[in-house]
Amino acid sequence: MSCEGFPAFISAQLHYLLSHCPLSIKIEQAWSGGKYSGSLDRFTLLIPYCLDTIKWDVIYNAEFPHAAPDVIFGPEDEDFHPFQDRGAKSSLADWNNKDPTRLLALIQELRDQYMSYQRKRVGEVDDDRLKFEISTILSREGIEMHMSSGIEKPEEVKFAVPLVDANINKMVAGCPWRHQQKIYLQVIYPVSRKYVSTPSAPRLKLMSTSELKSLFSIDDVKLPQWLDGMCMAEYLPHLEETLERQILEAVTLIEVRRHFIESLAPLFGRPIETDMVFYRKSMFFVASGAFSFLVLFFLSTQFPKQQPALMLQSSLYFNAQGIPVKSPLLTDYPWSPRWEPSQMAERIFEFLVDESLNFKKYCSESQLQH
Amino acid sequence: MEDLQLQKIAISGPTLASMIQRFSSSPADVDGFIFGHVTQITPSTLSDDSSSADESASQLVATITGFICPGSPLSFYDSLGRVDLLRVPSHHQHHNLIGWFSGRRQSPLRPSLREFSVTSSLSKIPQFHLPIKNLTLTLTPCIFILFTTPLTDQLIHTHQYRAYQFNPSSKSFHPKTIDIVNIGPAFRGHYGNFVPNCGLPLMNCSSAMDEESLSAKKDKLNDQKQLDSCTEGFQIESLRRLMGPEAANYTGALEDMYEKMLGKVESLARLVESSSAQVLELENHNRKLRYKVTRSTGLE
């Protein structure tokens, strides 16, 4: 969402927040609190926390630009009262509406306090296993915790444990990611206040920042089994080792895909477009006699184990909406991951020579229908 | 020490309406002080069971009798919500400060970061301890009333409010019911809690009776002036006829006095109307000036 419709002083601070924050904060909605002027002066921020988002309403006052904004926290956090003990140090203390960095500083400060608030709540839970887990993993950096309790929901404690210390962004040449890519293990413990001889295993889920999937899909990772009586400190090292190996492999696969796309060039000509960072997509222009079309190659992160998906797109035939006629995704053609890249290219070329005739027929038929 | 718990908060219909009117007519968010008193009420329901009597014996009711709205935000606290003692009136027309209110458009009906701090800070000031009627204990200004307008336009209602009592020892808000006291037979029992701000003046009876002596004439003039503050054009001589054995025959005169009192109220209302128009004009002027300032700072 853009920063349009806000008065200049709010939009400067908001723009700075959205572009400089290491987390990807979003504005869910913005509206005006004035009686006459329609300038937007209040908005809901979606702030990532513990692999979920928290919603905070920031309330400025367009009529009184010099007044510092106020914040309303979520309905489940009515006991969260930051700045109670260390008010003087807060970024709110000497608010300056002309300083664009202020809102970011405020949100970061509040989020830090929210983190300690949640950690304190989790620490107060009367559950022996949880107390043990916290004491053994506290030394790990960047762990976020969240205590969820509701009238209808069972009490649960959620941990977000960052995995793999290595900087993934630096492993990718020409990395386009603005935010640091991370993989987390979400561990959810049901709170058991009664003594249980064998506490149930926590719910585990691997999660990653969304952009990482162009390099590496965490859905392909099989989590090791959680054995009875296990704790996180035992479980994590093995998982991290596996992940590190798989990430390194994913990085080398970029090179394999690049090599494959390059081997297509002698047969198909130079690609019109190629994803030059991850080599997941490439587009070629092909002519067979008077019939010309585009071939799109989609390569998964599992390439070459998984063959590329192909799509043909006509440059001559358009449907009633003016959109070029496209073939369905083609994935059923001869393939072996053990072939040399040049052989892969040759076999695809041969397949497409036949397929182009089908596609030509398909194009002219769809044209006749209109 | 355990905090004293209020049973409910009582407010007269006109006072609540006036607060809502102040909120809805303001160009931006508003806040202000709430004045009133806290009373311990004796429950009217009698019970044979003595054990339950102890509980009901400690029923505290806060009655809101008035409010002041400074008209600009952060007028008595800073951006962190720390209250500036010198800018808070502890009394207003013999009524104690019992809390504060905040009205903000289009926002959730939950106390904000700053509202929590202001309430907490206000309840910590020892000078503001107010006595409880019928009890030797004191209470801090701990009432907070929040007004908002709903976030979605689809709803039928235009305003919503919620009242809280702040407990300094547990540092938490406790929602309290607001009891709106309206005029009518159903509410007669509640009237005692609302001490009138303006009663009929005390007048010397003889001045109305004896019209001869000079000093009596002077007194009469004085009393007429006092009576004029309540009624519009009611003669002091007529008061005379309202006393004594023949009063029963003069219900007409009494009705006349009430009519004239209503006339006074009406002329006051007209005054308020015209001064409100002037205030609005000034506010609009201020708004335009503020926009100019914002625009010029935006260009910097």
Side-chain angles (χ1 to χ4, degrees):
Chain A
M1 191 175 164
S2 70
C3 300
E4 273 169 40
F6 291 97
F9 73 101
I10 300 179
S11 105
Q13 293 190 344
L14 202 49
H15 188 260
Y16 190 89
L17 169 79
L18 298 181
S19 57
H20 286 74
C21 186
L23 303 160
S24 71
I25 292 180
K26 290 190 184 78
I27 306 177
E28 191 188 50
Q29 52 171 344
W31 62 97
S32 162
K35 187 174 172 69
Y36 310 108
S37 68
S39 350
L40 306 176
D41 62 353
R42 38 206 67 188
F43 46 86
T44 306
L45 289 180
L46 293 180
I47 301 159
Y49 178 77
C50 199
L51 303 176
D52 208 338
T53 46
I54 39 178
K55 282 187 196 184
W56 289 349
D57 292 320
V58 180
I59 311 284
Y60 277 90
N61 193 336
E63 293 284 329
F64 297 90
H66 293 287
D70 198 0
V71 184
I72 303 170
F73 305 112
E76 67 285 349
D77 292 320
E78 56 177 20
D79 294 325
F80 174 48
H81 304 299
F83 304 146
Q84 283 308 296
D85 313 311
R86 23 161 263 137
K89 282 183 221 151
S90 151
S91 56
L92 267 182
D94 54 340
W95 187 260
N96 177 0
N97 71 333
K98 286 180 200 159
D99 180 354
T101 67
R102 282 309 177 94
L103 181 61
L104 173 62
L106 174 65
I107 296 295
Q108 275 179 330
E109 206 174 349
L110 286 173
R111 193 180 177 280
D112 285 350
Q113 294 223 358
Y114 187 74
M115 217 155 90
S116 13
Y117 157 75
Q118 284 291 353
R119 183 167 288 200
K120 193 167 154 259
R121 283 186 70 195
V122 171
E124 284 165 358
V125 174
D126 183 24
D127 181 314
D128 288 339
R129 172 168 64 165
L130 270 174
K131 285 196 194 307
F132 177 75
E133 290 285 17
I134 295 166
S135 66
T136 50
I137 58 157
L138 258 187
S139 56
R140 288 181 77 101
E141 258 177 55
I143 290 192
E144 292 183 349
M145 302 175 196
H146 186 265
M147 167 91 203
S148 66
S149 55
I151 300 160
E152 277 154 37
K153 288 182 288 179
E155 278 191 319
E156 282 178 347
V157 168
K158 194 161 69 181
F159 291 91
V161 187
L163 300 171
V164 186
D165 272 339
N167 185 337
I168 305 176
N169 289 33
K170 280 193 179 157
M171 294 177 173
V172 179
C175 168
W177 298 320
R178 203 166 61 78
H179 298 289
Q180 183 66 44
Q181 297 304 305
K182 273 276 176 200
I183 301 175
Y184 300 88
L185 183 67
Q186 185 186 60
V187 189
I188 301 176
Y189 286 100
V191 174
S192 55
R193 292 184 192 279
K194 280 168 278 164
Y195 176 78
V196 207
S197 55
T198 46
S200 55
R203 298 205 302 279
L204 302 168
K205 194 180 173 193
L206 214 50
M207 294 175 96
S208 77
T209 37
S210 65
E211 292 161 311
L212 188 68
K213 63 176 183 287
S214 44
L215 172 70
F216 175 69
S217 168
I218 46 153
D219 298 336
D220 301 334
V221 180
K222 198 173 172 292
L223 281 173
Q225 207 196 341
W226 182 282
L227 303 170
D228 274 349
M230 225 179 182
C231 69
M232 270 199 270
E234 280 177 285
Y235 184 84
L236 294 174
H238 176 56
L239 173 63
E240 277 192 300
E241 220 172 88
T242 322
L243 272 176
E244 263 164 51
R245 212 175 43 239
Q246 294 190 359
I247 290 167
L248 281 177
E249 198 188 312
V251 173
T252 55
L253 283 179
I254 298 179
E255 200 52 22
V256 175
R257 290 194 292 266
R258 187 178 67 89
H259 202 56
F260 166 73
I261 289 173
E262 279 170 357
S263 343
L264 291 170
L267 297 161
F268 289 88
R270 289 194 63 78
I272 301 173
E273 256 178 32
T274 301
D275 151 24
M276 299 287 278
V277 180
F278 302 106
Y279 295 93
R280 297 277 308 274
K281 261 185 285 181
S282 196
M283 184 162 72
F284 293 82
F285 184 76
V286 182
S288 153
F291 182 63
S292 63
F293 56 95
L294 299 165
V295 186
L296 284 82
F297 287 81
F298 301 100
L299 284 73
S300 78
T301 50
Q302 295 291 307
F303 180 91
K305 241 186 280 170
Q306 207 173 60
Q307 67 201 85
L310 309 178
M311 196 172 75
L312 309 185
Q313 179 183 320
S314 174
S315 53
L316 302 168
Y317 296 92
F318 298 87
N319 68 10
Q321 286 81 42
I323 298 165
V325 177
K326 290 172 188 169
S327 75
L329 276 181
L330 308 168
T331 50
D332 197 19
Y333 57 87
W335 181 259
S336 164
R338 284 174 296 277
W339 289 338
E340 284 297 306
S342 54
Q343 197 184 353
M344 291 173 177
E346 270 166 38
R347 297 297 285 260
I348 289 179
F349 188 76
E350 279 167 24
F351 168 72
L352 283 179
V353 168
D354 296 338
E355 191 58 33
S356 66
L357 294 174
N358 291 337
F359 185 54
K360 188 176 177 182
K361 214 170 111 200
Y362 176 73
C363 284
S364 45
E365 271 169 12
S366 63
Q367 191 79 343
L368 280 177
Q369 284 168 6
H370 304 298
Chain B
M1 194 190 88
E2 188 82 350
D3 294 311
L4 289 169
Q5 284 295 324
L6 292 172
Q7 195 216 358
K8 62 180 180 187
I9 296 165
I11 187 169
S12 71
T15 311
L16 181 65
S18 162
M19 283 171 97
I20 292 176
Q21 155 68 16
R22 189 69 185 80
F23 166 45
S24 67
S25 64
S26 130
D29 298 343
V30 289
D31 56 18
F33 308 104
I34 298 172
F35 300 93
H37 50 85
V38 179
T39 326
Q40 187 189 28
I41 52 161
T42 326
S44 54
T45 47
L46 294 171
S47 159
D48 290 337
D49 186 3
S50 58
S51 61
S52 67
D54 296 333
E55 274 177 47
S56 51
S58 59
Q59 284 184 347
L60 295 180
V61 175
T63 307
I64 296 170
T65 52
F67 71 98
I68 294 182
C69 180
S72 69
L74 287 97
S75 62
F76 62 98
Y77 51 87
D78 66 5
S79 50
L80 271 168
R82 290 172 298 192
V83 169
D84 181 355
L85 182 62
L86 299 174
R87 290 164 179 254
V88 181
S90 65
H91 287 84
H92 175 62
Q93 292 179 348
H94 311 298
H95 292 290
N96 287 307
L97 178 75
I98 58 169
W100 76 297
F101 70 95
S102 171
R104 41 177 161 78
R105 280 200 193 85
Q106 304 251 328
S107 53
L109 194 58
R110 293 193 290 278
S112 71
L113 166 66
R114 196 183 293 138
E115 283 154 0
F116 176 85
S117 306
V118 172
T119 317
S120 163
S121 172
L122 204 61
S123 68
K124 273 187 214 146
I125 302 172
Q127 290 96 310
F128 291 165
H129 272 264
L130 57 121
I132 299 173
K133 283 186 190 171
N134 310 337
L135 214 64
T136 49
L137 298 164
T138 59
L139 202 70
T140 52
C142 56
I143 291 169
F144 173 62
I145 301 183
L146 177 61
F147 296 89
T148 66
T149 64
L151 274 164
T152 46
D153 297 333
Q154 279 89 38
L155 296 171
I156 295 166
H157 65 282
T158 52
H159 294 87
Q160 43 199 9
Y161 56 82
R162 197 169 277 174
Y164 300 90
Q165 179 186 7
F166 185 77
N167 284 9
S169 59
S170 64
K171 289 200 163 202
S172 56
F173 278 117
H174 293 259
K176 295 286 159 185
T177 49
I178 290 195
D179 187 21
I180 301 167
V181 180
N182 283 315
I183 290 172
F187 296 94
R188 203 154 284 163
H190 303 269
Y191 293 167
N193 267 328
F194 293 89
V195 184
N197 280 331
C198 164
L200 262 180
L202 267 179
M203 273 171 282
N204 192 351
C205 260
S206 64
S207 71
M209 304 288 187
D210 180 14
E211 294 168 30
E212 297 310 310
S213 78
L214 201 69
S215 69
K217 264 190 182 160
K218 203 174 154 198
D219 280 348
K220 199 177 112 186
L221 222 66
N222 226 350
D223 289 346
Q224 180 68 53
K225 217 185 264 171
Q226 280 202 62
L227 192 63
D228 284 348
S229 71
C230 305
T231 67
E232 192 87 359
F234 189 81
Q235 293 306 312
I236 193 103
E237 288 89 353
S238 319
L239 266 184
R240 181 177 152 192
R241 275 177 269 143
L242 297 179
M243 285 175 283
E246 73 266 43
N249 305 328
Y250 291 97
T251 46
L254 196 65
E255 272 169 12
D256 186 37
M257 184 178 81
Y258 285 147
E259 227 164 68
K260 302 248 153 97
M261 280 169 114
L262 283 175
K264 181 75 186 178
V265 169
E266 225 175 273
S267 78
L268 274 175
R270 261 192 299 277
L271 245 165
V272 168
E273 200 184 321
S274 70
S275 68
S276 290
Q278 279 173 17
V279 167
L280 186 72
E281 210 170 288
L282 271 173
E283 267 181 357
N284 279 337
H285 182 67
N286 284 345
R287 256 186 51 238
K288 274 179 200 151
L289 286 178
R290 264 202 307 274
Y291 279 138
K292 265 187 199 166
V293 172
T294 332
R295 231 179 295 137
S296 63
T297 49
L299 289 172
E300 262 174 34

